[in-house]
Amino acid sequence: MRTAHIKLLTALLASVALVAEAQAQASYPCVNDAPNPYKLQANWAQTPRPWGPTNAVTVDAKDNVWVFDRCGDKGCLGASESPIFHLGPDGKTIKNFGAGEFVSPHGLAVDKDGNVWAADFQAKDGKGMQVIKFSPDGKVLLRLGKPGESGMGDDTFNQPTGVAVLSTGEIVIAEGHSSKLKKSRINVYSKDGKFLRSFAKDGKGDGELSEPHAIAVDNQDRIYVADRTNARVSVFDKNGKFLANWKQFGRPSGVWVDKNDMLYVADSQSAADPKDANYNGGCKMGIRVGSVKDGKVQYYIPPPPVADPKTPPPEGIAVDSHGTIYASAVQAKDMKKYTK
């Protein structure tokens, strides 16, 4: 009995320590002057067609790269292009699938079994507003949400954006790209698609979200939300308990946590003009990298060069086991690759 009590006490203390650690991490001013040890790699991908607007990227356990683009300038509805690309670490395309399934692709994740979860955040002509689960070879296994419908219930989405996978195999989905319905929250599903729970609500306070744009999890299954309209990364435990808000990583469009618990955040919106709606107190666009253990930004990667200065930098972000960064640029229609 005494041994059981000791084990229970140890588990409780560990849980309290994790929560205390996250809550103790302060929110610092946005960092624009951290060092940049990364180099941009050109012409790394070999794809069957040029990239369309690339909104999402993820990396699987084998360091394969998965990219989700929007087929072309007119979107995926009625298009013949396949928007999901499976590339090897060498940049060569292994598979390309998903034609005819989407309206406007957004978030992407790969689970431990190699299944692909893809979020379609818009609706038109009875399609979209769903998250679709594909087998590794591209077969549709299930669909979450009602096709072509948005709503406030647990069986409908309000523009699903980000997808991530917990160590338990449960699927975490962010919704609320548009705040018209005032439904910005995080949903958790079983790997078979059963709705389990939701947390957070639309708002600006602690534990609230405004148009969450992406989502990631760390080794302790803490959940990191790109709370973009609130210009912060919001941190929760796996049960939805609010832990922290971090402003130092900018106005996040994309988030990723690697195996070393390093947080990578893509800021594609922070405006320089104080009169701009996306002005973020002097914070610059770019990619920021820091440890989730203390929340401090260690590196800052400025936006890549573009022909038109009005073209935003990448939104989506993912990192492989070697620390190689992949960043998806929607308007630039490109997949950027950075190595140290």
Side-chain angles (χ1 to χ4, degrees):
M1 181 68 73
R2 183 179 178 182
T3 301
H5 285 164
I6 292 174
K7 289 182 177 180
L8 177 60
L9 180 59
T10 302
L12 287 173
L13 288 174
S15 177
V16 170
L18 283 175
V19 173
E21 175 188 295
Q23 290 177 331
Q25 297 157 356
S27 183
Y28 308 98
C30 182
V31 176
N32 295 322
D33 57 356
N36 175 22
Y38 294 90
K39 182 182 295 184
L40 186 63
Q41 304 294 324
N43 304 316
W44 67 275
Q46 301 173 41
T47 55
R49 62 171 173 82
W51 297 118
T54 55
N55 193 84
V57 58
T58 192
V59 176
D60 65 23
K62 298 179 180 179
D63 280 344
N64 292 311
V65 183
W66 296 78
V67 181
F68 202 17
D69 80 359
R70 294 178 178 167
C71 301
D73 291 334
K74 295 182 179 180
C76 288
L77 186 65
S80 60
E81 294 89 348
S82 295
I84 298 176
F85 293 82
H86 177 193
L87 288 75
D90 59 0
K92 295 181 180 179
T93 299
I94 299 172
K95 291 187 292 290
N96 180 212
F97 59 83
E101 298 291 350
F102 301 97
V103 175
S104 190
H106 208 279
L108 192 71
V110 178
D111 65 26
K112 291 185 293 185
D113 298 320
N115 300 306
V116 182
W117 298 77
D120 190 357
F121 85 113
Q122 291 187 351
K124 190 174 182 180
D125 298 342
K127 294 180 71 70
M129 206 67 74
Q130 292 186 299
V131 174
I132 303 176
K133 177 183 180 181
F134 294 89
S135 67
D137 59 0
K139 179 182 178 181
V140 174
L141 299 179
L142 65 83
R143 302 173 189 268
L144 302 178
K146 294 181 178 179
E149 295 184 28
S150 61
M152 298 297 291
D154 296 337
D155 60 345
T156 54
F157 287 115
N158 172 37
Q159 297 196 336
T161 52
V163 188
V165 185
L166 296 174
S167 63
T168 58
E170 294 172 340
I171 308 301
V172 187
I173 299 173
E175 64 171 319
H177 194 289
S178 170
S179 61
K180 292 180 181 179
L181 292 179
K182 298 298 180 183
K183 185 190 179 190
S184 294
R185 69 179 195 176
I186 307 302
N187 305 312
V188 183
Y189 301 82
S190 71
K191 63 181 181 180
D192 299 320
K194 179 183 177 181
F195 177 84
L196 300 177
R197 59 189 180 275
S198 67
F199 60 88
K201 64 178 182 178
D202 189 87
K204 301 182 181 299
D206 289 348
E208 297 178 341
L209 305 169
S210 183
E211 303 190 28
H213 199 262
I215 195 167
V217 299
D218 69 10
N219 290 324
Q220 286 78 43
D221 278 344
R222 288 175 291 199
I223 298 168
Y224 299 76
V225 183
D227 190 8
R228 189 165 73 173
T229 300
N230 284 328
R232 65 196 185 191
V233 175
S234 293
V235 189
F236 301 84
D237 72 11
K238 64 182 180 181
N239 297 313
K241 178 180 174 61
F242 170 76
L243 301 178
N245 283 324
W246 291 341
K247 305 280 286 187
Q248 60 266 35
F249 289 90
R251 185 181 172 93
S253 290
V255 290
W256 182 270
V257 183
D258 70 11
K259 65 178 183 178
N260 299 312
D261 278 344
M262 292 295 289
L263 174 65
Y264 301 76
V265 180
D267 180 344
S268 66
Q269 286 196 345
S270 286
D273 185 355
K275 297 180 181 179
D276 193 298
N278 292 337
Y279 178 68
N280 191 20
C283 191
K284 296 180 180 179
M285 293 184 287
I287 295 171
R288 292 174 177 83
V289 184
S291 173
V292 302
K293 296 177 181 178
D294 57 18
K296 292 184 179 180
V297 176
Q298 298 179 15
Y299 309 121
Y300 168 69
I301 305 173
V306 289
D308 183 353
K310 294 182 179 179
T311 302
E315 293 189 13
I317 191 164
V319 184
D320 71 12
S321 65
H322 303 288
T324 301
I325 297 174
Y326 298 92
S328 54
V330 180
Q331 286 87 344
K333 302 176 186 176
D334 198 9
M335 274 301 311
K336 304 297 184 181
K337 178 179 181 179
Y338 296 91
T339 55
K340 277 192 175 182

